[in-house]
Amino acid sequence: MPKFVANAALQTRRQQRRAGRGRSAAKRRALTRDVVLLFVLTHQPPDRVGVTRKLRLNVTLKKEGGSYTLDMTQARYKTSRFYGPFAAQLPRQLDSVLDAYAAALSVDSPDAEEAYLFHPASGDLTRPLDSSAWTAFVRRLFGRLHGSEVAPKTPTRGRWSLTNMVTSV
């Protein structure tokens, strides 16, 4: 005879999963990082891959007036000499996700004040992922969530693939 789970126990387990209980702090932080990446790539796709890879709290990603701003006025990036400094307000949909990730980073390290959002797994918040690790990270994330790996250097294909993934769920 099959063993059934009581509805109350099932509901409790669902609520615990939604709240993130039962997962380690590192796992919750990693999941939040994945959500941040997906939000940034879909809500505010950058003109250069390195812009997203090198996002840094309070340096290139600043919170001003309750929302986040992408501030590339001081940063040097590949095409900055042609296009000059750049600053733009990020969509409001990113605020709560970025706040949660910044809070998760600050719990782990005193370096979190100016942490790179996408840093090496070693936990060194003072440097970004190198470009090969960044590509592998994005490819694995898309592969895990969508079934096909998409490199970050193919933004049109990446956005199309992600849009299909979100609408097919």
Side-chain angles (χ1 to χ4, degrees):
M1 178 171 229
K3 192 173 185 179
F4 293 99
V5 178
N7 189 37
L10 183 61
Q11 291 300 328
T12 301
R13 181 66 185 133
R14 277 192 190 137
Q15 290 171 351
Q16 287 174 341
R17 289 185 71 193
R18 282 189 195 130
R21 290 186 212 123
R23 292 191 172 117
S24 68
K27 181 68 173 172
R28 285 193 307 269
R29 187 178 55 257
L31 290 171
T32 307
R33 180 200 58 213
D34 294 351
V35 170
V36 167
L37 175 61
L38 292 173
F39 266 64
V40 169
L41 289 178
T42 56
H43 286 286
Q44 184 71 30
D47 57 342
R48 307 288 317 161
V49 172
V51 171
T52 302
R53 182 174 68 89
K54 295 178 183 176
L55 281 175
R56 192 171 189 184
L57 288 173
N58 300 314
V59 178
T60 56
L61 184 65
K62 298 178 178 178
K63 187 163 187 180
E64 298 171 349
S67 64
Y68 285 89
T69 302
L70 177 63
D71 183 2
M72 300 301 291
T73 56
Q74 302 299 316
R76 298 177 78 78
Y77 55 101
K78 190 174 180 178
T79 57
S80 64
R81 67 181 174 164
F82 300 112
Y83 300 111
F86 171 76
Q89 187 171 356
L90 295 177
R92 298 288 247 171
Q93 294 92 334
L94 292 170
D95 292 347
S96 62
V97 175
L98 289 169
D99 285 340
Y101 190 46
L105 289 175
S106 67
V107 166
D108 287 344
S109 173
D111 300 329
E113 186 70 26
E114 292 185 351
Y116 282 95
L117 294 186
F118 306 107
H119 52 275
S122 65
D124 184 3
L125 304 178
T126 61
R127 57 188 197 94
L129 286 170
D130 62 32
S131 40
S132 61
W134 170 254
T135 299
F137 169 59
V138 173
R139 290 178 69 102
R140 277 193 312 270
L141 180 62
F142 273 88
R144 189 176 75 233
L145 298 175
H146 185 252
S148 64
E149 295 184 346
V150 179
K153 292 185 180 184
T154 53
T156 305
R157 190 170 142 216
R159 285 183 221 135
W160 175 83
S161 183
L162 184 64
T163 302
N164 280 348
M165 177 188 70
V166 170
T167 57
S168 67
V169 173

